[in-house]
Amino acid sequence: MKLHAALVAGLVLCVAGPALAQGGPIAARQALMKANGRDAKAGGDMLKGAVPFDAGNAQAILANMADVARKFGTHFPKGSNTGDTEAAPAIWEKPADWQAALTKFQKDTAAAVAMKPATAADFGKAFGMVTANCKSCHEGFRIKKG
Amino acid sequence: MRRIAAILGAGLLAAAGLGWFLSAPQPLPAGRIAAAPGDAARGARIFWVGGCASCHAAKGAKGDDRLKLGGGAPLETALGTFQAPNISPGPDGIGGWSLADFANAMQRGISPDGRHYYPAFPYASYARMQPADIADLWAFMRTLPPVAGQPAEGRIGFPWNIRRGIGLWKRAFLSDAPVVALPADASPAARAGQYLVEGPGHCGECHTPRTLSGLGGLDRGRWLAGAAAAEGEGKVPGIAPGRLKWTAAEIADYLETGFTPDYDSVGGTMVAVQANMAMLPDADRAAIAAYLKAVPAQP
């Protein structure tokens, strides 16, 4: 078990480490969204039947997303709006709207975790509620540059 | 001396007259307006393909609020601010229009009082639509709720605020001919998709760069190669083969769900477009995807 945890920690360091080592809020928030995307893909693959449904994995995905939702908003300090970032100026120009979007993401992910979905159908509901946040937030707060 | 002045004067007058003549509105011939009445149920599909709500409904409108076409958010561009007007079927909108008025607005960019619309209204794509689809759309629009009021006018700087000049732009860039020649063995789905993408869907208006440093028409040599966004500093991605690596099934899935194969999500102004695409039958999304796989690749 300890070995397992160490392996996971090592893996996280390998993936997130380079980003965090360069430092700065831009790298940190990008690493969080990358992790979020991997979890979303894992959840989507289960719902599409590309991989078999597993309640433990499903709940872990939701827990990871709730964790991202708690941390994500802390990585947008003033001055981190320029550079290699797709964060939209609206994040700093409309802080109340931004905060509302972050709060909704936290609320929805926490509610999804609390549902403890045990079937694919229930997971689909929780996952749909969480991933609706992706579009609504990216509509106003992300600018595609690539 | 007086003679030279007279010749110069006459030349200037002739040039002005020619400019006036060339920039005149060119309404549709009567035969390009459907004679049979449109069908509102069929028109709903055209409404969602056409994306009317994205500019004419309130910003961020969801659900049935997308059917309230009172004006919408202004389009802030380098040329100035364009404002989509009230096109609801009430007295403040287009309630007093005829089908011919509507068809001329949609396909020739002309208002009922004979003024040119700015091509921010994508009539240069709608020009390729079938008259029957225009009539069906018109029938559907007549069923929508009237909205009161008119948004504030847009603000466009000189010389682009001289609308008559748009007539010259139309002479150069307005055409109802297909954009690309599909391969002879292109599937029926790809051909159906060509109509949806090049006509009502007007995808190229944002996904294709324009000639004349952005002032001209769509650059057919770089069709769907991606372009700078009209608003802000972002980029609209290329969606021709070579730029977009997804399979046809993945493209159709994205248009339905808003998620890329990697589970990144739709963003920016494409969020409203994808919400429209999600309203279509599966076959239409599959057709759009088939067309996007069949157009010339962009390096």
Side-chain angles (χ1 to χ4, degrees), chain B residues 66 74 111 128 199 222 232 241 250:
Chain B
R66 290 181 293 166
S111 70
R128 300 188 182 91
R222 291 187 287 162
E250 287 169 340

Side-chain angles (χ1 to χ4, degrees), chain A residues 44 135 138-139 142-144, chain B residues 235 257 263-265 268 274:
Chain A
K135 306 180 198 184
H138 288 164
E139 182 168 19
R142 180 200 200 179
I143 293 179
K144 269 298 231 189
Chain B
K235 279 193 188 140
T257 67
Y263 263 81
D264 194 349
S265 86
Q274 184 267 318

Side-chain angles (χ1 to χ4, degrees), chain A residues 36-77:
Chain A
N36 210 42
R38 280 192 298 273
D39 278 317
K41 181 162 168 50
D45 283 348
M46 263 198 271
L47 288 172
K48 283 181 196 159
V51 297
F53 177 75
D54 178 285
N57 287 347
Q59 293 179 17
I61 284 167
L62 297 175
N64 289 345
M65 289 178 148
D67 189 49
V68 168
R70 277 191 297 273
K71 292 173 181 164
F72 191 59
T74 63
H75 297 291
F76 293 84

Side-chain angles (χ1 to χ4, degrees), chain B residues 130-145:
Chain B
Q130 295 298 326
D133 283 342
I134 297 282
D136 288 345
L137 175 60
W138 176 239
F140 176 73
M141 306 247 317
R142 307 289 287 173
T143 69
L144 300 181

